[in-house]
Amino acid sequence: MKNALLNLFSTEVNPKIQDLTLLAFRVLLSGELIYAHGLKKLGIGVGEAEVVPNPLNLPEAFNSAFADAANLVFPLFVIAGLATRIAVLPILAVTLTGYFVLHFHDAPLIKDTPFMYSLSFLVILFLGPGKYSLDHFIQKNK
């Protein structure tokens, strides 16, 4: 019983568990971003394609393409663990813009979504994709 309690308060991380956790976190988070935000920009699962907000007044075609890529293409790179830290940057650009520009004055229940996505992708940016990724495979086989 004492050992079980000590394990609950341990700050040691088993590297294998950490890498599996990073894999699951990357896949589930990116999959949810694609499902909840990316597909509706294409009109999949909704009656009509979502209009992409343009709070920074960028050229409309660029804004739409960037947001679509950040919600559909770059999450696939994160899932695969390919150029993961670079792939996270456009996702963060969109989620942080959503939080700090688009929803900054909204109620917490509205702005919590871009906040949580931003926080989660920042974790991936700083921790990297882990051992179970194409980045690791490429690095190991250099």
Side-chain angles (χ1 to χ4, degrees):
M1 179 69 171
K2 181 180 178 183
N3 284 341
L5 285 174
L6 288 175
N7 284 338
L8 287 174
F9 293 99
S10 174
T11 58
E12 298 296 316
V13 179
N14 179 329
K16 189 171 188 174
I17 297 295
Q18 179 176 332
D19 289 321
L20 284 171
T21 302
L22 284 169
L23 172 65
F25 188 65
R26 278 190 355 251
V27 170
L28 295 172
L29 178 66
S30 297
E32 182 65 17
L33 181 63
I34 291 168
Y35 179 72
H37 298 279
L39 294 179
K40 68 182 177 181
K41 287 179 178 48
L42 299 177
I44 298 172
V46 293
E48 194 174 307
E50 179 182 66
V51 176
V52 178
N54 191 356
L56 301 177
N57 296 316
L58 299 170
E60 202 57 48
F62 174 79
N63 182 68
S64 184
F66 190 83
D68 289 350
N71 286 289
L72 290 162
V73 177
F74 290 110
L76 294 174
F77 281 82
V78 175
I79 287 171
L82 179 61
T84 308
R85 287 185 165 118
I86 294 168
V88 163
L89 296 175
I91 297 169
L92 283 170
V94 169
T95 60
L96 289 169
T97 300
Y99 182 73
F100 284 111
V101 179
L102 193 61
H103 296 295
F104 189 71
H105 296 292
D106 289 343
L109 289 176
I110 293 172
K111 68 181 183 178
D112 74 329
T113 300
F115 175 77
M116 294 308 293
Y117 275 114
S118 297
L119 192 60
S120 298
F121 280 105
L122 280 168
V123 168
I124 294 171
L125 177 68
F126 290 117
L127 294 182
K131 182 178 175 182
Y132 303 113
S133 66
L134 289 175
D135 288 343
H136 179 76
F137 179 76
I138 292 166
Q139 186 70 28
K140 187 175 88 172
N141 292 318
K142 270 187 160 180

